[in-house]
Structure formats: structure tokens, C-alpha cells
């Protein structure tokens, strides 16, 4: 059974109390009028009895006095009955009309009284709809009015938002600062290894050790780069430029087209949105890398499609692979969380291909790829969801605002986002 809203319940309570008070008032009035209507004619009948008993003057016949008394009583009863019926009928109609008007005014007054709660609810809903990265926490209710219970609730909610906002900002700053600081020693290690390996007298063992250390260093650099991207993507995108997801997807698929034992299918139609080109490219790159990494060792397939559906730019990446339980879908979007059946990665493409090693083969991942995808999508006002593919693998769908809906009116003046180091 559906419960009534607070506004409806308040309206019914106010209207019911008014109706109850009106019924009580009408009943009291009925009793008082009933008692009052007896007194005048009762006095007349008493005077008739006095006249009959008086020794002076002509005394009417006893039968006439009794007949007058009966007529007076009948007239009194008829008048009282008519008056009481009119009181009940007209009073009841007036009470119903007043109750109906009171219900209308009660509805308006209840809505007015609950307006601050609607403001609190609207703010909370906007913050909840923003994303899980805390971007909407800068908003405040800032309720004005007397310091009553609702004002205290709104102020407490604002205080909680302020503390959460500081906490999220501190977390993002820590990740960004730590990632930047870690880049320096990694770059120094890479330089030292390159110098050691380039020496003319370097032995084969030294070169093999250097290559191994370079691979480890590269893996750490990719981890740091992922952390930086995740911290960056959790900030609201300010500078937007037109971006075609089909163009980005086509470029990235060209890099993995030569991967052995991997079938790449593409259905790319224009899917133009507005946003940060670097972040959107990283979003698409992570999806493609994830599809390659978690594919079958042999005979795997990747199907990438783009387009505009219902005024929204969409990117769908489908890959074969091991069966993914539906209860683990949400897990793969959390940072540093990987499925338990991670396997050996698909073979790498030729490193000589431009960017192929960075895009296609990365070995075992860090659990940041889909976290970055979700953060980037939400930063652009969109979303991402995944579902298990029948027979194994994943179907990941990214939905972003279309070009018209993303930056209305001033997209032509959009400034491209600055390149990130």
C-alpha cells in the first residue's frame, strides 16, 4: 500500500482537526438552541394557567384554555424542529464548504512549510547524481530564515558537506602530489639504466638486467600515470572542445589491428561530444586495452562501435574472454580491484608500431583502467555501465552528452584542453 506524502498527511491532519472542531461546535450550538427555544412559549403557557386561576375578570372555559395550551405546544415543537433542522442542514453544508476550503489552504500552507525540506532534498539529489568522486560536494544549501529545526538541519547538512569536500579535495591533492613526486625518481632511474645499457663495454648480462629493470620501471611509470589521470579525471572538466569518439576509437583500433590471434571488428559512426580530448582518448584507450588484456589467448574477438543514440554519444566495447559473474561487475570499476581470474595477457603487438606497446599490450593491469573510464565519463556528464557477455567476456557501454547537449550556445568558442605532461 502506497503511503501518503508528508504534505498530504499534514493537509489531512489540519483539515481533520478543523472538521472535528466544527462538528463539536455544531453539536454544542444544537444543544444550546434546543434549550433556548423552549423558554418563550413555556412562559406563555404559564401565563395562560395564571389567567385561568385568577379570581378577577371573566375566566375562559377550561376546554378553550387547554386547546390553546395544546396549540402553543404544537407551535413550539414545530418551530423548534424547523429551527434545529435548519441549523443541522445549513450548518453541516457550511462546515463541509469551510472544510474543503481549509483543505486547500492546508495544502498550500503545508507546501510552504515543507519548501526548505524540498531545497535540502534537491541539493542532496544533485550531489548524489554528480558522481562518486566528490565533485558535487562544493554545493551548499545556505538556507535562510529563522533558526528553527529545519534551519538547524540544513546548517548541519552544509557542515557535513564542507567536511566531506575538504576530505575529497585532500585525497585528490595527495594522489596528484604523490604521483608527481614519484615521477622524478622513476625518470632518473630510466636515464641511469639507458646510460648503463648504452655503454660500449656493457655485457650481455648487464643489458638483460637493464631491460628487465626498464620493464619494471615502465610498469611503475604507467601506474603513476594512471593515478595522475584518475586524480585529473575526478575534477570537473572546464575547457571543452568537440571530440568525435569514432575518430579516437578508429585510431586506437589501428594500433591493435596487428595483434596475433585477435579479431577486431569496428562499426564506427560519428559520435561527437564536447570535452577534454586527452581524457576522452584515455577513456577509449583503457577500454581497448582492457578488451585486449582480458581476451582469450587464441581466437579472441573485439567489437567496438560508436554512434549517437537518443541524442547521446555512445561507445560500446565488446570482448570475448572468461565468464564474468554479474556480482563482480561493480568490483571492476573500483580502483586497484581486479577479477580473480586474471590471466596471462594477450600477445603484444610489434613494439615498433607507433604507440602499440603502450596501447595494446600492458601485461597484468593495476585495476585502474575502468576506474579511470568511469571517472572520465562522469566528469563529462555521462556514465558507463558493464554487463557480462553471453559466452564470456564483457560488454562495456559509455554514454556521453552529444555535441549539442554538452556545451549549448558557446561550443564554437570552446578552447581545447591544455596538454598534460
Amino acid at each position: 500500500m502506497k503511503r501518503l506524502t508528508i504534505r498530504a498527511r499534514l493537509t489531512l491532519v489540519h483539515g481533520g482537526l478543523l472538521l472535528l472542531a466544527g462538528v463539536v461546535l455544531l453539536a454544542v450550538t444544537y444543544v444550546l438552541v434546543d434549550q433556548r427555544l423552549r423558554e418563550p412559549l413555556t412562559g406563555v403557557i404559564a401565563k395562560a394557567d395564571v389567567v385561568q386561576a385568577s379570581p378577577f375578570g371573566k375566566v375562559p372555559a377550561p376546554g378553550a384554555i387547554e386547546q390553546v395550551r395544546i396549540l402553543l405546544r404544537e407551535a413550539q415543537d414545530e418551530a423548534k424542529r424547523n429551527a434545529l433542522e435548519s441549523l443541522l442542514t445549513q450548518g453541516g453544508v457550511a462546515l463541509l464548504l469551510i472544510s474543503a476550503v481549509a483543505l486547500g489552504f492546508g495544502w498550500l500552507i503545508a507546501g510552504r512549510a515543507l519548501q526548505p525540506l524540498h531545497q535540502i532534498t534537491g541539493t542532496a539529489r544533485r550531489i548524489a547524481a554528480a558522481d562518486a568522486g566528490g565533485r558535487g560536494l562544493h554545493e551548499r544549501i545556505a538556507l535562510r530564515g529563522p533558526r528553527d529545526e529545519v534551519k538547524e538541519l540544513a546548517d548541519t547538512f552544509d557542515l557535513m558537506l564542507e567536511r566531506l569536500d575538504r576530505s575529497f579535495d585532500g585525497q585528490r591533492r595527495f594522489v596528484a602530489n604523490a604521483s608527481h613526486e614519484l615521477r622524478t625518481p622513476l625518470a632518473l632511474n630510466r636515464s641511469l639504466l639507458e646510460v648503463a645499457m648504452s655503454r660500449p663495454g656493457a655485457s650481455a648480462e648487464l643489458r638483460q638486467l637493464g631491460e628487465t629493470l626498464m620493464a619494471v620501471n615502465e610498469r611503475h611509470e604507467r601506474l603513476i600515470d594512471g593515478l595522475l589521470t584518475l586524480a585529473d579525471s575526478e575534477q570537473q572538466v572546464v575547457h571543452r572542445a568537440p571530440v568525435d569518439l569514432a575518430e579516437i576509437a578508429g585510431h586506437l583500433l589501428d594500433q591493435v589491428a596487428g595483434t596475433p590471434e585477435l579479431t577486431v571488428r569496428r562499426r564506427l559512426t560519428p559520435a561527437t561530444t564536447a570535452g577534454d580530448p586527452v581524457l576522452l582518448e584515455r577513456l577509449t584507450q583503457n577500454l581497448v586495452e582492457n578488451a585486449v588484456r582480458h581476451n582469450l589467448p587464441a581466437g579472441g574477438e573485439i567489437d567496438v562501435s560508436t554512434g549517437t543514440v537518443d541524442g547521446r554519444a555512445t561507445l560500446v566495447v565488446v570482448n570475448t574472454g572468461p565468464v564474468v559473474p554479474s556480482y563482480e561487475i561493480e568490483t571492476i570499476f573500483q580502483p586497484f580491484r581486479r577479477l580473480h581470474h586474471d590471466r596471462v595477457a594477450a600477445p603484444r603487438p610489434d613494439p615498433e608500431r607507433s604507440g602499440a606497446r603502450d596501447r595494446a599490450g600492458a601485461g597484468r593491469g593495476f585495476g585502474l583502467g575502468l576506474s579511470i573510464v568511469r571517472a572520465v565519463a562522469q566528469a563529462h556528464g555521462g556514465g558507463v555501465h558493464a554487463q557480462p557477455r553471453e559466452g564470456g567476456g564483457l560488454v562495456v557501454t559509455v554514454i556521453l552528452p552529444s555535441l549539442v547537449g554538452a556545451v549549448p550556445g558557446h561550443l564554437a568558442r570552446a578552447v581545447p584542453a591544455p596538454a598534460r605532461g
Side-chain angles (χ1 to χ4, degrees):
M1 182 178 178
K2 187 177 180 180
R3 296 187 60 185
L4 296 175
T5 62
I6 295 180
R7 184 177 185 181
R9 293 201 294 268
L10 286 176
T11 302
L12 291 178
V13 168
H14 294 163
L17 290 176
L18 179 62
L19 181 62
L20 179 61
V23 170
V24 172
L25 180 61
L26 184 61
V28 172
T29 304
Y30 182 91
V31 172
L32 294 177
V33 171
D34 180 44
Q35 293 178 353
R36 182 63 180 169
L37 286 177
R38 293 181 190 172
E39 296 178 0
L41 295 182
T42 303
V44 173
I45 295 174
K47 290 180 180 178
D49 292 337
V50 171
V51 171
Q52 182 180 9
S54 173
F56 306 100
K58 187 177 179 180
V59 179
I65 293 297
E66 184 63 27
Q67 187 175 3
V68 170
R69 186 183 295 111
I70 293 174
L71 291 176
L72 288 176
R73 285 190 178 128
E74 289 179 353
Q76 179 185 21
D77 293 339
E78 181 69 20
K80 182 176 70 172
R81 185 168 54 253
N82 292 336
L84 293 178
E85 286 180 357
S86 298
L87 176 64
L88 289 178
T89 304
Q90 298 177 8
V93 172
L95 181 59
L96 291 178
L97 292 176
I98 293 175
S99 298
V101 174
L103 285 175
F105 276 104
W107 177 264
L108 296 177
I109 294 173
R112 181 72 176 177
L114 294 174
Q115 186 62 34
L117 294 181
H118 292 318
Q119 185 176 347
I120 296 174
T121 304
T123 303
R125 185 179 290 114
R126 286 192 299 272
I127 293 173
D131 55 69
R135 278 190 296 273
L137 294 176
H138 65 277
E139 189 172 356
R140 299 291 181 270
I141 300 173
L143 187 65
R144 297 181 179 180
R147 190 164 187 80
D148 52 10
E149 291 82 357
V150 179
K151 181 69 163 56
E152 291 182 359
L153 173 63
D155 292 344
T156 304
F157 191 77
D158 284 343
L159 180 60
M160 179 189 68
L161 290 178
E162 183 178 355
R163 292 180 177 177
L164 287 175
D165 195 15
R166 287 201 302 264
S167 176
F168 274 99
D169 282 343
Q171 180 182 4
R172 284 192 291 264
R173 283 195 302 270
F174 171 78
V175 172
N177 294 335
S179 301
H180 278 295
E181 291 298 326
L182 289 174
R183 271 186 166 183
T184 301
L186 290 176
L188 180 59
N189 288 343
R190 184 176 64 252
S191 300
L192 293 175
L193 289 172
E194 290 174 350
V195 169
M197 293 170 60
S198 62
R199 290 178 179 176
S203 62
E205 292 80 3
L206 178 60
R207 293 181 183 276
Q208 183 177 1
L209 177 61
E211 291 177 358
T212 304
L213 293 177
M214 286 283 287
V216 173
N217 199 80
E218 180 186 359
R219 179 178 174 84
H220 292 163
E221 287 177 346
R222 286 189 289 107
L223 173 59
I224 299 304
D225 183 61
L227 290 173
L228 277 173
T229 305
L230 183 60
D232 257 354
S233 59
E234 288 184 343
Q235 304 292 335
Q236 192 68 34
V237 178
V238 178
H239 301 288
R240 295 174 181 260
V243 179
D244 189 357
L245 297 179
E247 181 180 352
I248 295 177
H251 173 69
L252 293 172
L253 289 176
D254 290 339
Q255 308 301 321
V256 300
T259 304
E261 304 297 336
L262 182 65
T263 302
V264 179
R265 295 188 176 92
R266 62 181 79 190
R267 291 172 295 168
L268 306 179
T269 58
T272 309
T273 185
D276 188 322
V278 176
L279 290 178
L280 291 176
E281 181 179 3
R282 186 57 183 268
L283 176 149
T284 311
Q285 174 185 335
N286 283 2
L287 288 179
V288 173
E289 286 183 353
N290 186 75
V292 173
R293 181 180 299 115
H294 297 284
N295 226 303
L296 291 175
E301 297 179 1
I302 296 178
D303 190 327
V304 180
S305 60
T306 60
T308 303
V309 180
D310 297 331
R312 309 278 285 182
T314 61
L315 168 66
V316 182
V317 179
V318 183
N319 65 274
T320 56
V323 176
V324 180
S326 58
Y327 58 82
E328 286 193 345
I329 291 297
E330 184 61 28
T331 302
I332 62 179
F333 285 100
Q334 299 176 11
F336 301 105
R337 297 292 295 276
R338 294 184 291 265
L339 295 179
H340 299 298
H341 51 248
D342 277 351
R343 297 162 290 99
V344 178
R348 286 189 179 184
D350 185 4
E352 298 298 328
R353 296 176 61 89
S354 174
R357 183 169 59 179
D358 290 335
R359 300 186 190 282
R364 182 180 175 89
F366 301 102
L368 290 175
L370 291 180
S371 301
I372 294 174
V373 169
R374 170 176 281 182
V376 172
Q378 291 176 340
H380 287 79
V384 57
H385 66 272
Q387 62 184 34
R389 175 184 173 276
E390 185 177 355
L394 275 178
V395 179
V396 183
T397 304
V398 177
I399 302 176
L400 298 173
S402 64
L403 178 63
V404 177
V407 187
H410 63 275
L411 187 58
R413 302 189 301 272
V415 180
R420 287 174 170 79

